Amino acid sequence: MDSTSSSRIKVAVVGAGSFGKNHARAYYELQNEGSPVELVAVVDADINRAAEHASKYSVPAYSSVEELLHKTKPDAASVAVPTIHHAAVARQLMEAGVDVLIEKPIAATLAQADEILDLAAKHNRVGMVGHLERFNPAVRATIPLINQPMFFEVHRLSVFTPRALDVDVVLDLMIHDLDIVLSFVNSPVKEIRAVGLPILSPKVDICNVRVEFESGCVANLTASRVSTERVRKLRFFQPKQYISLDYGRQDVLVFSVGQPPKPIAAPPKPKVPDPRTGIFEEAELLAARQAFSGAAVLAQSGITMSKPAVAQEEPLKAELKAFIAAVRERSQPEVALREGRRALELGLAILEQVNQHAQKSGLSGLR
């Protein structure tokens, strides 16, 4: 691909399940918003499902990668098939000269991940892994704040759905946070202790892990897909600072100790209630007064609270734009294949510890 070309990058989506259909939708919306991309096909082994989503965007539907390559040669493709098929599909595409964005996890095994890395190098292909939370606006706003994180507390809880039951919850949900913590800490893993159980599926549905890094940092992570509520939060401590990140709300709170106190704005004066409801302005005023009161208490304790600005953007669109840019510029993408392999390696090591714990506890028969 000529980096100076003004033509659009032709993309296909391989796999029209819960992830793939969103990729197709986001590509099409970016195309209509003026991004240099054009959705040219949707592929799925279930041709009816492929046709259902392809028809929304007036593009052809195919039942195989072979058919796609024969009839509509794309420049790049999103690989959103089940994890066990990632390596095979990526191989077909890259050998045909197609750049790939592979949904997380990069592969089912480290051997498959290594094959993908080797293929990308051999065929000079851009390869990116879809660790979506890297593009969460709250995560992006947090990166400049990182100096020496020493303790993480992470929760990712979800209600049960029949989606992605081909992998354990570690590779389905927790891997998002493993990738984020690894990118924040940037230190080799020293020790892993983990426990997990299958609840509603043959795979591990809930898991807790303690990861210690060579830097001395410790991360405690919990992931569940059998919860009664949806929680996606990451909190970490570093010298004289506590940072709380809410993936879902896409906001960040920073509590700092020993910094010069900043002036606290007085709460707003009462306003006339909204004539339509009679309560809107009163509720707004109450919230403002509560925030002012809390900030004042913290300031008196030598703790300052701040809320960094977060540039709102749909993470999936941000991810796809980054992939398109890497394809056009022939540059290393924001989430390189080796980073996807790193997250997979840690996830598989955690599952090994889960299995060892189950055997010691007499629970191995549950799987």
Side-chain angles (χ1 to χ4, degrees):
M1 179 67 61
D2 182 355
S3 63
T4 63
S5 173
S6 60
S7 62
R8 290 179 168 183
I9 303 297
K10 295 180 180 179
V11 297
V13 173
V14 182
S18 57
F19 288 113
K21 68 180 182 182
N22 277 322
H23 278 240
R25 185 265 307 165
Y27 277 129
Y28 187 74
E29 290 180 359
L30 288 173
Q31 174 181 325
N32 289 336
E33 292 166 6
S35 291
V37 63
E38 179 184 359
L39 178 66
V40 295
V42 176
V43 182
D44 197 278
D46 182 343
I47 188 60
N48 292 326
R49 181 161 62 180
E52 175 189 353
H53 297 293
S55 64
K56 297 176 183 177
Y57 313 116
S58 301
V59 298
Y62 302 122
S63 62
S64 68
V65 174
E66 292 87 351
E67 188 179 11
L68 166 71
L69 296 173
H70 177 67
K71 295 182 177 179
T72 308
K73 173 67 184 300
D75 301 310
S78 283
V79 177
V81 296
T83 305
I84 57 173
H85 301 307
H86 281 184
V89 171
R91 182 190 313 116
Q92 287 180 284
L93 292 167
M94 287 192 285
E95 287 180 343
V98 179
D99 298 315
V100 293
L101 167 60
I102 305 172
E103 261 298 343
K104 58 79 191 166
I106 183 175
T109 67
L110 288 180
Q112 291 176 357
D114 288 336
E115 179 188 2
I116 291 172
L117 268 73
D118 290 342
L119 284 165
K122 178 180 178 180
H123 298 285
N124 194 28
R125 292 297 95 203
V126 170
M128 178 169 160
V129 184
H131 282 290
L132 189 63
E133 295 292 20
R134 288 280 198 104
F135 300 90
N136 188 305
V139 172
R140 290 187 158 188
T142 300
I143 291 173
L145 308 174
I146 298 170
N147 53 63
Q148 190 182 359
M150 295 306 297
F151 177 71
F152 286 83
E153 186 72 34
V154 189
H155 291 86
R156 186 173 292 265
L157 314 178
S158 178
V159 296
F160 183 81
T161 68
R163 178 197 63 77
L165 296 185
D166 62 317
V167 294
D168 297 270
V169 70
V170 174
L171 300 185
D172 178 24
L173 299 182
M174 185 182 284
I175 198 164
H176 283 295
D177 303 303
L178 297 178
D179 174 65
I180 295 298
V181 171
L182 285 168
S183 67
F184 282 9
V185 176
N186 195 28
S187 172
V189 173
K190 179 180 180 180
E191 183 183 40
I192 301 169
R193 301 187 69 177
V195 59
L197 288 170
I199 305 295
L200 297 178
S201 80
K203 301 286 188 177
V204 172
D205 293 316
I206 185 168
C207 179
N208 174 262
V209 60
R210 179 186 184 275
V211 181
E212 183 178 352
F213 295 89
E214 294 288 353
S215 66
C217 177
V218 171
N220 187 32
L221 303 97
T222 300
S224 169
R225 56 188 180 195
V226 290
S227 178
T228 57
E229 59 180 340
R230 181 177 171 86
V231 177
R232 293 188 294 156
K233 292 185 177 180
L234 178 147
R235 309 169 183 89
F236 68 94
F237 294 82
Q238 53 191 14
K240 297 186 177 182
Q241 203 166 57
Y242 161 62
I243 298 174
S244 176
L245 186 160
D246 190 313
Y247 293 108
R249 292 174 54 183
Q250 296 186 359
D251 64 16
V252 184
L253 285 177
V254 180
F255 299 86
S256 303
V257 179
Q259 295 186 0
K262 297 179 181 180
I264 303 174
K269 296 180 179 180
K271 300 179 181 178
V272 178
D274 189 314
R276 294 169 297 177
T277 65
I279 62 171
F280 179 80
E281 293 291 351
E282 292 177 3
E284 181 186 72
L285 177 63
L286 176 61
R289 289 193 181 279
Q290 289 175 335
F292 173 76
S293 176
V297 171
L298 288 172
Q300 291 174 0
S301 303
I303 301 173
T304 58
M305 179 180 71
S306 61
K307 192 170 183 178
V310 175
Q312 296 298 323
E313 182 178 20
E314 182 186 350
L316 180 56
K317 285 187 177 180
E319 177 183 80
L320 298 186
K321 285 195 289 187
F323 175 53
I324 294 163
V327 170
R328 289 182 65 82
E329 299 164 8
R330 311 311 301 165
S331 60
Q332 179 173 294
E334 289 192 41
V335 187
L337 294 175
R338 67 175 181 275
E339 294 176 281
R341 185 197 186 282
R342 179 180 64 178
L344 174 65
E345 183 177 26
L346 178 54
L348 292 175
I350 290 169
L351 287 174
E352 177 59 29
Q353 290 298 312
V354 168
N355 290 334
Q356 290 184 20
H357 178 272
Q359 291 173 1
K360 292 178 182 178
S361 305
L363 299 173
S364 56
L366 294 177
R367 300 197 66 184

